[in-house]
């Protein structure tokens, strides 16, 4: 495009430029960053931005997957491929305590999230000595996230104190911290679900096929449509999986993530569906349904 | 929803594609809402989200549930509960911290910062304002302009937000009175003029009932202006003026994946750049040409303000994080002393003289507040004499940095004039600052890169450059000893120069008197001259009373501790006065000379000089030998 024609940046260009600035600032100013990678669409988007930010060099940090062992198998495949394509090291951490105790989403309730994810993350950051962790969280996802800074400081024990956040002015991020503190950085803070999908479409970013409709074996349980991803799923009396055309708006542990009825098999169709959807993306997340400020509580003890 | 955006239900594929196409070219507007507590900020935002269909069914269900149990609207939807997401906020029914919310219409996408109204959270309000293109200032139609309205308007203006909406809220509670609206607008206009807000769009609204938010209200037939949303959709963002300024980009990170590629990354602060453009790198002053704008998506033909890019240069120039790349034909001012506005954000009060870290663009330097000119009473706009700034105070200061910084006034470019101060001990961000202008008039002066540097000069002379700074009372023997030292060095083949107080005052500094201010300037100039001479590779000897510690410290920092030797020529006042070589003490005692050091002006003894010369027990010859030994030893 000739110089004279570009007069302003579009919404997505501004978001992209902001995210790249954040990614570079962390690499320029901190010691040992890592990017948390869960293989979802936000992770995919964030990794793509990192490729752009540091091109022609590969992103100068590893990816870290805090694995619960209960993700969809397609997510593990997508994760490995994405890391390989980006030319970055992939680290996987599974909380050994949770492995040993066989923690699972059926028998252990909230302990499942607490041990695999919150505790697992804390263990991994401490083990590898990462002082900064990128995460793909967005402010539009949840009320307490809307209050969180882009650079979110955690005390020595990984706690978040929402009433004592550093003022964040302009694009001047103060990344100085005490030795035992760590920082969570959210380059997608100002993106919405729709922005992410439009960016995926625009940039041709590869995402897990689970976001697109296909015939999958499902059961209805606790108001959620659960896809039976492997034979570890205990069927209740009278429960019989049926084949339905479904897809996911958000991805987590498969027994805790609800699918939606859908015929959308392409990104534009997914966007079309989203534009007419009447529920939010996180409605399909069982862990969000635990009272008004539950995410805030989880975050205070170190949940992402 | 008619005309208000959102997306039509059951739209077909062509419509969706058209909508997608539109969204790709959508511009973004960031704005903040501000105003006094209970003026209805959260309600307004909740309403905008609701009316633009940004609130979905499950969120609405949870809002309904919360409104029943916690709401203040008698069971009706309490939109404030949408944005006040922290437990403490919901308990107290107030907004503590900035929340960022998102909504979009067919014409634009919006990021809105919901900022707290309480005075004690001024820093959070400033945080929200720092990234906003526009401010919507809410006023309760019943209460009119309040202290917080003034306060927030002032802050908004201070932060350089040029688009201001005066949203006169709760019009339903004053019977949609046109008179009441005009009254408030008139009062606000007077105030806006006083603080130099250029343009204000006033809109009568009811956030609760939805009047004039997305559609024109039937209750205000007397109002023919835009609705709030249509105004927000149409207002230009701040970007365009930055596109028209000269090219500037701070280097954020140098990309060196292999020896054949050196890319300089950063976010363009202003202007355009394209391959072939001549640029200058500051502070080194080197010139080069942009070779390419390589990117993941292939080489770019041009890049504009706001984009995060990578540049390569035609030449192998020295360029690192913190440097500024600027259009070669539009040099930028470089200075180390500034007049600036500070918003203090810490419980620990500001201390003049204490070094803080200053982050400006991608550079971090040490900075000291040298003078608190005044504290501003934001409510009355009065200038208050003050020794310090406490939490949420705003002050006008002189600030000095340990290195020169390329900059622009904050009002011209926030990226190049906005800074934060960081406490060295606690690592916390203690202030937001905005540069107004440089104190030392260095306008249009930029550093010229020279190929023969100080090392080259010194190497040719086969010596280490140094400054030997003699200090002591008048008649202590500074000039005599310095003269002997120079003779000895000269005899050894060293290249030297002696700057003597009396001699300098006959030429370079003949315009200066002997007041404290003149003495400071006298020493500053001598320090600069001595620095130039060390750049030329010389060993410089200076003989000045230089009575104040702070100035000697200033020169020490200017020259660099390794090359600066402070020599205290220690002679008691009675001895110096008895010698009275120039007959000055006699005149001073007779009242014929004012501000004479030791008589009616103080001498601050050096705390840790490199050398103390006791002239009572040493001859000048012995003293000179000691100094030469120190220098060459």
């Amino acid at each position: 495009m000739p110089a004279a024609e570009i007069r302003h940046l579009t919404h997505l260009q501004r978001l992209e430029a902001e995210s790249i600035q954040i990614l570079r600032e962390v690499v320029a100013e901190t010691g040992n960053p890592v990017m948390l990678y869960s293989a979802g669409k936000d992770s995919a988007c964030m990794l793509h931005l990192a490729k752009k930010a540091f091109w022609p060099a590969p992103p100068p940090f590893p990816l870290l997957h805090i694995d619960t062992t209960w993700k969809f198998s397609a997510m593990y495949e997508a994760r490995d491929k994405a890391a390989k394509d980006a030319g970055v090291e992939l680290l996987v951490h599974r909380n050994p305590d949770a492995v040993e105790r066989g923690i699972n989403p059926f028998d252990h309730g909230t302990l499942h999230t607490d041990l695999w994810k919150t505790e697992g993350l804390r263990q991994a950051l401490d083990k590898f000595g990462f002082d900064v962790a990128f995460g793909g969280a967005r402010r539009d996802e949840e009320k307490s996230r809307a209050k969180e800074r882009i650079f979110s400081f955690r005390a020595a024990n990984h706690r978040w104190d929402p009433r004592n956040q550093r003022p964040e002015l302009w694009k001047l991020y103060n990344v100085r911290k005490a030795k035992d503190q760590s920082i969570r950085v959210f380059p997608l803070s100002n993106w919405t679900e729709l922005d992410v999908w439009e960016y995926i479409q625009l940039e041709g970013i590869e995402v897990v096929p689970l976001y697109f409709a296909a015939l999958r074996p499902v059961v209805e349980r606790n108001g959620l449509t659960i896809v039976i991803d492997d034979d570890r799923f205990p069927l209740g009396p009278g429960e019989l999986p049926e084949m339905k055309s479904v897809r996911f708006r958000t991805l987590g542990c498969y027994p805790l993530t609800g699918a939606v009825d859908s015929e959308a098999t392409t990104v534009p169709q997914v966007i079309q569906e989203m534009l007419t959807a009447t529920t939010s993306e996180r409605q399909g997340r069982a862990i969000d349904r635990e009272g008004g400020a539950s995410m805030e509580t989880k975050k205070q003890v170190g949940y992402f | 929803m008619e005309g208000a955006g959102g997306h039509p239900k059951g739209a077909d594929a062509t419509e969706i594609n058209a909508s997608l196409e539109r969204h790709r070219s959508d511009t973004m507007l960031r704005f903040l809402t501000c105003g006094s507590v209970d003026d209805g900020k959260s309600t307004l935002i909740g309403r905008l989200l609701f009316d633009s269909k940004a609130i979905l069914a499950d969120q609405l269900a949870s809002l309904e549930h919360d409104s029943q149990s916690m709401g203040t609207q008698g069971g009706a939807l309490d939109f404030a509960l949408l944005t006040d997401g922290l437990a403490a906020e919901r308990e107290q029914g107030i907004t503590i911290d900035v929340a960022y919310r998102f909504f979009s219409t067919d014409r634009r996408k919006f990021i809105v910062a919901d900022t707290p109204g309480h005075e004690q959270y001024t820093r959070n309000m400033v945080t929200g304002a720092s990234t906003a293109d526009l401010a919507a200032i809410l006023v309760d139609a019943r209460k009119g302009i309040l202290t917080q309205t003034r306060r927030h308007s002032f802050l908004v203006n201070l932060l350089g937000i040029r688009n201001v909406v005066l949203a006169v809220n709760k019009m339903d509670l004053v019977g949609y009175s046109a008179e009441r609206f005009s009254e408030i607008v008139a009062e606000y206009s007077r105030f806006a003029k006083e603080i130099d807000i250029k343009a204000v769009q006033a809109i009568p609204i009811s956030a609760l009932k939805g009047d004039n938010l997305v559609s024109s209200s039937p209750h205000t037939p007397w109002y023919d202006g835009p609705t709030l949303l249509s105004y927000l959709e149409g207002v230009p963002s701040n970007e365009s003026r930055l596109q028209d300024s000269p090219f500037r980009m701070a280097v954020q990170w140098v990309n060196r994946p292999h020896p054949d590629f050196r890319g300089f990354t950063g976010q363009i602060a202003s202007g355009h750049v394209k391959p072939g453009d001549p640029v200058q790198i500051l502070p080194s002053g080197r010139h080069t040409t942009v070779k390419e704008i390589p990117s993941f998506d292939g080489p770019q033909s041009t890049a504009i303000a706001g984009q995060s890019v990578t540049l390569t240069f035609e030449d192998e120039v020295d360029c690192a994080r913190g440097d500024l790349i600027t259009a070669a034909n539009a040099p930028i001012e470089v200075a180390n002393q500034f007049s600036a506005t500070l918003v203090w954000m810490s419980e620990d009060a500001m201390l003049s003289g204490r070094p803080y870290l200053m982050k400006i663009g991608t550079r971090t330097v040490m900075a000291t507040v040298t003078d608190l000119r005044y504290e501003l009473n934001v409510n009355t706009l009065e200038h208050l004499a003050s020794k310090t700034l406490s939490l949420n105070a705003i002050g006008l200061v002189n600030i000095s940095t340990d290195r020169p910084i390329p900059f622009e006034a904050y009002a011209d470019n926030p990226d190049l004039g906005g800074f934060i101060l960081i406490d060295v001990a606690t690592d916390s961000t203690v202030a937001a600052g905005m540069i107004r202008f440089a104190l030392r008039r260095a306008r249009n002066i930029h550093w010229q890169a020279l190929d023969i540097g100080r090392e080259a000069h010194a190497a040719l002379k086969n010596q280490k450059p140094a400054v030997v700074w003699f200090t002591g009372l008048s008649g202590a023997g500074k000039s005599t000893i310095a003269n002997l030292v120079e003779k000895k060095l000269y005899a050894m083949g060293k290249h030297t120069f002696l700057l003597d107080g009396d001699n300098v005052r006959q030429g370079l500094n003949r315009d200066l008197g002997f007041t404290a201010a003149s003495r400071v300037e006298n020493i500053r100039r001598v320090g600069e001259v001595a620095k130039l001479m060390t750049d030329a590779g010389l060993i410089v000897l200076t003989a000045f009373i230089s009575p104040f510690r702070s100035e000697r410290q200033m020169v020490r920092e200017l020259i660099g501790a390794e090359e600066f030797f402070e020599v205290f020529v220690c002679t008691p006042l009675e001895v110096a006065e008895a010698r009275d070589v120039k007959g000055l003490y006699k005149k001073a005692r007779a009242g014929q000379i004012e501000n004479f050091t030791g008589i009616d002006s103080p001498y601050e003894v050096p705390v840790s000089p490199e050398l103390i010369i006791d002239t009572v027990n040493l001859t000048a010859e012995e003293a000179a030998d000691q100094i030469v030994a120190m220098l060459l030893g």
Side-chain angles (χ1 to χ4, degrees):
Chain A
M1 199 183 300
E5 283 181 31
I6 307 178
R7 292 304 297 160
H8 70 266
L9 300 182
T10 66
H11 172 68
L12 285 177
Q13 283 172 325
R14 263 179 95 176
L15 288 175
E16 179 188 75
E18 178 186 67
S19 300
I20 289 176
Q21 192 260 346
I22 293 163
L23 287 159
R24 287 173 175 169
E25 198 65 9
V26 167
V27 165
E29 290 231 313
T30 67
N32 196 13
V34 69
M35 178 173 278
L36 296 183
Y37 196 83
S38 68
K41 63 182 187 305
D42 301 308
S43 290
C45 198
M46 180 166 62
L47 180 58
H48 183 77
L49 287 161
K51 288 194 217 168
K52 286 193 144 186
F54 303 103
W55 189 91
F61 39 74
L63 302 182
L64 173 63
H65 184 219
I66 304 301
D67 186 21
T68 65
T69 71
W70 286 95
K71 303 293 172 188
F72 294 92
S73 51
M75 291 172 75
Y76 293 110
E77 287 163 32
R79 178 196 73 186
D80 295 348
K81 181 170 189 303
K84 194 162 164 273
D85 290 351
V88 290
E89 186 188 2
L90 172 71
L91 304 168
V92 177
H93 180 78
R94 297 181 195 94
N95 179 354
D97 181 37
V99 174
E100 196 179 316
R101 289 165 64 182
I103 301 297
N104 68 69
F106 308 108
D107 306 321
H108 301 102
T110 56
L111 194 62
H112 174 75
T113 305
D114 292 347
L115 278 189
W116 282 117
K117 295 176 85 173
T118 307
E119 186 53 31
L121 174 62
R122 293 163 55 147
Q123 284 173 351
L125 295 182
D126 291 344
K127 176 172 137 195
F128 295 105
F130 294 123
D131 52 358
V132 185
F134 291 111
R138 310 186 318 264
R139 282 169 172 157
D140 78 324
E141 283 178 81
E142 200 273 337
K143 281 191 290 273
S144 70
R145 280 214 165 124
K147 297 268 171 184
E148 194 160 7
R149 301 281 191 256
I150 293 172
F151 284 64
S152 183
F153 283 73
R154 304 301 164 98
N157 52 8
H158 300 277
R159 284 191 81 90
W160 179 59
D161 178 2
R163 303 195 72 166
N164 186 25
Q165 301 194 75
R166 246 175 219 183
E168 207 159 81
L169 296 131
W170 302 290
K171 54 190 79 155
L172 295 173
Y173 304 105
N174 169 8
V175 301
R176 289 175 63 89
K177 57 175 190 59
K179 255 202 155 47
D180 50 1
Q181 284 182 319
S182 63
I183 319 176
R184 312 286 163 89
V185 178
F186 306 108
L188 303 183
S189 283
N190 286 322
W191 296 59
T192 63
E193 184 190 8
L194 183 59
D195 295 331
V196 167
W197 276 113
E198 288 185 347
Y199 193 67
I200 287 168
Q201 163 72 6
L202 194 65
E203 297 282 309
I205 300 169
E206 204 173 323
V207 292
V208 191
L210 293 161
Y211 287 113
F212 305 110
L215 279 177
R216 296 185 171 101
V218 304
V219 294
E220 300 290 328
R221 192 183 277 189
N222 303 324
L224 294 179
T225 303
I226 305 294
V227 168
I228 315 290
D229 201 56
D230 57 38
D231 54 15
R232 289 180 297 173
F233 191 89
L235 287 173
E239 262 183 352
L240 199 65
E242 57 168 324
M243 296 303 284
K244 273 179 89 174
S245 178
V246 294
R247 65 176 200 90
F248 293 89
R249 290 179 71 184
T250 175
L251 290 169
C253 291
Y254 87 79
L256 297 174
T257 310
V260 291
D261 291 349
S262 170
E263 302 292 334
T265 55
T266 64
V267 178
Q269 285 168 2
V270 164
I271 295 174
Q272 173 172 3
E273 228 177 61
M274 188 183 345
L275 295 179
T276 55
T278 55
T279 54
S280 84
E281 157 192 29
R282 292 196 76 89
Q283 201 220 3
R285 294 287 273 262
I287 61 161
D288 284 5
R289 300 180 171 183
E290 291 161 16
S294 75
M295 176 73 87
E296 182 185 351
T297 316
K298 284 197 188 74
K299 284 156 72 81
Q300 284 180 14
V301 296
Y303 180 73
F304 224 84
Chain B
M1 165 115 308
E2 293 291 324
H7 299 279
K9 302 260 179 217
D12 66 20
T14 14
E15 261 182 82
I16 291 297
N17 284 338
S19 157
L20 271 179
E21 209 41 60
R22 252 196 328 270
H23 277 275
R24 270 175 218 150
S25 58
D26 262 350
T27 59
M28 164 155 61
L29 186 82
R30 294 190 184 210
F31 70 102
L32 82 157
T33 55
C34 44
S36 197
V37 183
D38 293 333
D39 278 352
K41 293 184 298 297
S42 300
T43 307
L44 175 74
I45 292 173
R47 202 18 117 159
L48 283 174
L49 296 178
F50 182 71
D51 287 354
S52 61
K53 300 208 167 149
I55 302 173
L56 297 161
D58 54 318
Q59 295 165 328
L60 198 59
S62 125
L63 176 65
E64 275 164 7
H65 174 263
D66 291 352
S67 299
Q68 293 286 341
S69 57
M70 286 182 276
T72 56
Q73 301 299 330
L77 291 184
D78 183 354
F79 288 113
L81 293 173
L82 270 179
T83 55
D84 290 341
L86 297 175
E89 294 176 320
R90 295 160 80 93
E91 281 157 19
Q92 297 172 48
I94 58 162
T95 308
I96 291 173
D97 209 340
V98 192
Y100 295 89
R101 298 285 158 185
F102 309 84
F103 66 97
S104 61
T105 69
D106 281 341
R107 291 175 61 192
R108 206 170 217 175
K109 302 219 180 189
F110 300 94
I111 299 180
V112 49
D114 179 18
T115 63
H118 283 262
E119 185 169 344
Q120 72 195 92
Y121 298 116
T122 296
R123 61 175 177 172
N124 295 336
M125 190 262 170
V126 170
T127 299
S130 75
T131 51
D133 301 306
L134 174 146
I137 297 172
L138 269 81
V139 172
D140 184 329
R142 296 166 305 171
K143 299 179 191 160
I145 311 296
L146 299 176
T147 300
Q148 282 297 81
T149 323
R150 293 177 208 279
R151 194 177 167 82
H152 286 172
S153 301
F154 177 83
L155 289 169
V156 156
N157 197 42
L158 182 70
L159 269 287
I161 294 174
R162 292 166 186 218
N163 300 308
V164 173
V165 174
L166 179 72
V168 182
N169 191 21
K170 307 193 185 181
M171 286 301 293
D172 53 318
L173 300 180
V174 294
Y176 297 99
S177 158
E179 289 70 32
R180 184 61 187 141
F181 179 69
S182 328
E183 241 172 67
I184 290 171
V185 172
E187 189 187 345
Y188 189 81
S189 302
R190 279 194 299 275
F191 171 70
K193 205 171 164 196
E194 202 181 319
I195 63 170
D196 207 27
I197 291 182
K198 298 281 187 293
V200 178
Q201 173 69 49
I203 306 175
I205 64 165
S206 165
L208 195 64
K209 310 269 177 190
D211 293 290
N212 290 327
L213 291 186
V214 296
S215 49
S216 293
S217 169
H219 300 113
T220 54
W222 42 266
Y223 172 74
D224 58 2
T227 62
L228 180 61
L229 198 62
S230 64
Y231 182 75
L232 294 176
E233 285 179 326
V235 71
S237 76
N238 278 344
E239 265 182 88
S240 49
R241 73 190 169 97
L242 292 175
Q243 310 297 4
D244 296 330
S245 306
F247 172 70
R248 319 267 192 227
M249 184 183 102
V251 178
Q252 206 184 0
W253 179 72
V254 181
N255 194 351
R256 287 215 76 175
H258 50 79
D260 301 328
F261 186 91
R262 251 176 113 218
F264 301 92
T265 74
Q267 189 169 15
I268 301 175
S270 66
H272 296 244
V273 68
K274 58 182 191 312
D277 281 357
V279 291
Q280 187 179 26
I281 294 146
L282 293 167
S284 80
R286 295 276 168 203
H287 283 255
T288 184
T289 306
V290 175
K291 186 177 178 188
E292 222 181 28
I293 312 172
S295 85
F296 182 82
D297 305 306
Q300 288 177 250
S301 60
T302 182
I304 64 168
Q307 284 187 300
S308 285
V309 297
T310 304
L311 305 179
T312 58
F313 295 142
E314 290 290 357
D315 311 285
E316 279 269 329
V317 287
D318 184 21
C319 184
R321 174 173 167 88
D323 288 352
L324 190 85
I325 305 169
T326 156
N329 59 1
I332 189 170
E333 200 175 345
V334 175
N336 60 0
Q337 311 244 356
F338 306 94
S339 169
T341 309
L342 285 189
V343 180
W344 201 254
M345 300 190 153
S346 169
E347 315 262 337
D348 299 328
M350 193 265 303
L351 286 183
S352 296
R354 169 175 287 184
Y356 295 101
L357 283 169
M358 176 198 239
K359 186 166 183 185
I360 176 164
T362 58
R363 324 192 97 200
T364 303
V365 301
M366 293 299 286
T368 306
V369 174
T370 51
D371 186 20
L372 173 56
R373 302 274 307 285
Y374 57 80
E375 183 181 339
L376 198 97
N377 180 329
V378 188
N379 304 330
T380 62
L381 304 181
E382 269 179 294
H383 296 181
L384 310 171
S386 182
K387 289 257 177 263
T388 181
L389 295 174
S390 50
L391 183 63
N392 292 320
I394 295 169
L396 193 78
V397 301
N398 291 349
I399 196 159
S400 158
T401 56
D402 68 345
R403 269 161 289 170
I405 296 171
F407 77 101
E408 277 180 7
Y410 178 81
D412 297 333
N413 191 335
D415 279 3
L416 295 168
F419 62 88
I420 54 172
L421 294 183
I422 300 167
D423 187 294
V424 184
T426 64
D427 293 328
S428 49
T429 303
V430 292
M434 287 149 277
I435 291 181
R436 300 170 70 230
F437 49 81
L439 287 173
R440 305 248 180 264
R441 302 295 169 179
R443 261 173 229 290
N444 304 319
I445 296 175
H446 55 284
W447 199 255
Q448 181 67 45
L450 303 171
D451 289 319
I452 306 297
R454 53 190 288 137
E455 288 79 15
H457 284 293
L460 191 65
K461 297 182 177 70
N462 192 27
Q463 64 184 31
K464 259 183 69 188
V467 173
V468 184
W469 190 272
F470 292 85
T471 172
L473 294 170
S474 174
K478 299 182 296 295
S479 298
T480 309
I481 299 171
N483 191 44
L484 273 175
V485 171
E486 187 170 35
K487 275 166 70 179
K488 288 176 190 289
L489 291 171
Y490 182 85
M492 297 161 81
K494 299 296 177 191
H495 299 257
T496 60
F497 195 79
L498 173 62
L499 287 166
D500 184 84
D502 285 347
N503 296 355
V504 170
R505 279 183 177 277
Q506 315 238 352
L508 178 67
N509 290 356
R510 72 174 159 212
D511 55 324
L512 298 176
F514 290 89
T515 61
S518 283
R519 284 176 188 274
V520 171
E521 178 60 11
N522 185 41
I523 298 305
R524 189 193 70 79
R525 288 187 201 173
V526 171
E528 292 286 354
V529 170
K531 185 177 190 319
L532 288 175
M533 288 181 165
T534 57
D535 283 348
L538 295 177
I539 297 171
V540 188
L541 311 166
T542 71
F544 295 81
I545 298 173
S546 46
F548 304 126
R549 272 182 213 123
S550 60
E551 302 151 52
R552 297 192 301 259
Q553 183 60 29
M554 177 174 83
V555 183
R556 182 186 290 272
E557 279 165 23
L558 184 68
I559 306 287
E562 282 181 17
E563 295 182 359
F564 185 81
F565 300 87
E566 188 174 355
V567 174
F568 176 34
V569 183
C570 178
T571 306
L573 182 62
E574 348 31 294
V575 179
E577 192 166 357
R579 289 183 193 156
D580 206 6
V581 193
K582 298 172 192 164
L584 293 173
Y585 282 98
K586 213 180 200 172
K587 282 188 187 168
R589 290 289 181 198
Q592 290 164 336
I593 307 177
E594 278 179 34
N595 301 318
F596 196 82
T597 303
I599 307 296
D600 59 347
S601 185
Y603 179 82
E604 295 173 1
V605 172
V607 179
S608 51
E610 273 65 28
L611 198 62
I612 300 175
I613 300 294
D614 174 1
T615 65
V616 179
N617 297 309
L618 278 185
T619 65
E621 196 69 33
E622 287 166 336
D625 284 337
Q626 272 196 19
I627 292 163
V628 172
M630 169 189 73
L631 258 186
L632 305 177

